[in-house]
Amino acid sequence: MTKVRKAVIPVAGYSTGFLPATKASPKELLPIVDKPIIQFIVEEAMASGIEEILIITGKHKRSIEDHFDSAIELESNLSEKEKWDLLELVKDTTMPNLFFVRQSYPLGLGDAIYQAKAFVSDEPFVVMLGDNIIDSEVPVTKQLIDLYNETQQMNVALMETPEKDLSKYGNVDKGTLIAYYGNGNDVIKINHFIEKPTKENILSSYAIAGRYVLTPEIFDVLAKQDPGVDDKIQLTDALEKISEVQTVLGRVVDANRHDVGNKVGYVQYSIEYGLEHPEIADGLRELVIKKAEELKNN
Ligand code: G1P
């Protein structure tokens, strides 16, 4: 059995939703309090047993590489000042097992994943999308890897999602129930996939939650995939195609998804994370309560 050791994190897209903040800096480096969004994703990969990570990046995203490299001047400065805690924080983000490749044209998520073909070679791999920070006791990526180890089948994370939000995501049908784990953590065989459905063609309440275990067969399909929604090559369309010849499972995950790719989700998670942050929790709590009272009285 081949172990799932590799993860692919695509970050090449422009992020017009956060302009002007993202004019010169990638949105993946926007901090949630003091930790860049992409670091949450890399930490989830590490906690799931991933050994090598490929980041699919773009021209305007060079600072992501710098973030995960050593920072020798900063390190010696912190060590001269004997700021050991900060030094450790900085050193912890130096990742030796990170690889980078560029997506040269913004042709969509499917095309971004295609850039991972050489890195992946003949192994199963994980895809983790950066717009979603997902909290759960067992990392969602680990749950998918466990399912792959049990079944040797490609699989994707699904979340029950309100109808009004389904058009923002990839959507799948209720499929065929394979295993019932209780608490809604079912495993299904997915029969149909659709990217960003309109109200009329919603398949079920399951949205794809931005975590996937794929096998290299996906590259043959991606190579021939025509553009779909938004005139982009969609990974979801490639999954629809491959599900005709190969089983693709869905694991319904009971987790807390923070959609930090939009402003409200970003601010909301910054507050939630801040309320757990040892340095600022007390002050922030006071502020939130005070503000909530003011808002209630207005
Ligand atoms: C992408 C995928 C979509 C998935 C979503 C999860 O969409 O194409 O299938 O449900 O991520 O966040 P995007 O957010 O890039 O529009």
Side-chain angles (χ1 to χ4, degrees):
M1 193 177 79
T2 324
K3 209 175 143 213
V4 185
R5 306 182 308 113
K6 293 178 176 175
V8 174
I9 306 179
V11 300
Y14 284 102
S15 19
T16 49
F18 283 90
L19 282 170
T22 52
K23 185 179 167 197
S25 329
K27 81 170 166 196
E28 293 77 11
L29 288 183
L30 292 179
I32 303 294
V33 184
D34 50 11
K35 192 193 283 194
I37 292 172
I38 193 164
Q39 204 175 313
F40 286 86
I41 312 294
V42 168
E43 284 175 8
E44 182 188 329
M46 298 308 209
S48 304
I50 291 297
E51 294 166 10
E52 291 177 7
I53 299 175
L54 177 72
I55 299 191
I56 317 274
T57 172
K59 291 174 190 46
H60 51 305
K61 306 243 169 172
R62 284 193 195 103
S63 46
I64 294 181
E65 282 183 59
D66 295 341
H67 177 72
F68 290 109
D69 198 352
S70 61
I72 295 167
E73 266 179 49
L74 176 62
E75 285 168 29
S76 52
N77 184 284
L78 291 172
S79 122
E80 265 165 40
K81 292 185 178 146
E82 300 188 9
K83 296 196 167 169
W84 308 123
D85 288 357
L86 289 179
L87 180 65
E88 203 181 305
L89 265 184
V90 168
K91 281 189 158 175
D92 275 355
T93 55
T94 305
M95 304 265 175
N97 46 0
L98 235 58
F99 300 82
F100 295 87
V101 69
R102 281 190 183 181
Q103 182 188 22
S104 298
Y105 298 97
L107 297 177
L109 176 60
D111 176 71
I113 301 305
Y114 189 73
Q115 312 307 314
K117 191 171 188 273
F119 167 81
V120 162
S121 183
D122 56 356
E123 296 183 33
F125 64 105
V126 165
V127 170
M128 306 173 76
L129 306 187
D131 277 352
N132 285 220
I133 295 174
I134 311 181
D135 268 347
S136 65
E137 233 173 87
V138 179
V140 168
T141 298
K142 166 97 173 50
Q143 294 183 38
L144 299 191
I145 293 174
D146 289 346
L147 181 61
Y148 179 83
N149 289 341
E150 279 167 40
T151 61
Q152 302 291 292
Q153 311 281 9
M154 294 202 205
N155 62 69
V156 306
L158 302 174
M159 286 187 94
E160 286 279 1
T161 303
E163 192 180 326
K164 66 173 179 30
D165 293 329
L166 283 167
S167 62
K168 294 192 235 161
Y169 297 104
N171 176 227
V172 304
D173 67 335
K174 279 275 165 197
T176 317
L177 190 64
I178 301 283
Y180 175 73
Y181 288 88
N183 300 326
N185 290 323
D186 299 354
V187 173
I188 60 167
K189 174 182 178 296
I190 300 169
N191 299 316
H192 289 293
F193 292 78
I194 184 167
E195 181 66 11
K196 311 235 163 50
T198 57
K199 234 179 165 182
E200 291 67 43
N201 48 23
I202 284 173
L203 298 172
S204 79
S205 54
Y206 289 152
I208 301 177
R211 302 289 184 276
Y212 313 71
V213 173
L214 305 176
T215 57
E217 288 88 354
I218 197 74
F219 295 115
D220 299 335
V221 181
L222 285 173
K224 293 185 218 126
Q225 187 64 52
D226 291 327
V229 171
D230 294 335
D231 213 19
K232 297 274 160 79
I233 298 171
Q234 298 291 351
L235 178 60
T236 307
D237 294 344
L239 288 168
E240 165 77 2
K241 201 159 287 164
I242 208 157
S243 69
E244 288 163 15
V245 290
Q246 207 172 310
T247 299
V248 183
L249 299 175
R251 163 156 258 165
V252 186
V253 292
D254 183 18
N256 222 344
R257 171 176 60 196
H258 309 285
D259 201 341
V260 294
N262 71 71
K263 284 175 189 158
V264 173
Y266 175 78
V267 172
Q268 186 181 326
Y269 189 52
S270 299
I271 294 171
E272 284 175 24
Y273 184 75
L275 288 169
E276 304 281 321
H277 191 294
E279 231 174 281
I280 63 163
D282 291 349
L284 185 61
R285 188 165 181 277
E286 244 171 66
L287 179 81
V288 169
I289 293 172
K290 189 166 157 250
K291 198 74 208 164
E293 270 161 16
E294 273 173 34
L295 290 171
K296 246 196 300 180
N297 297 332
N298 277 331

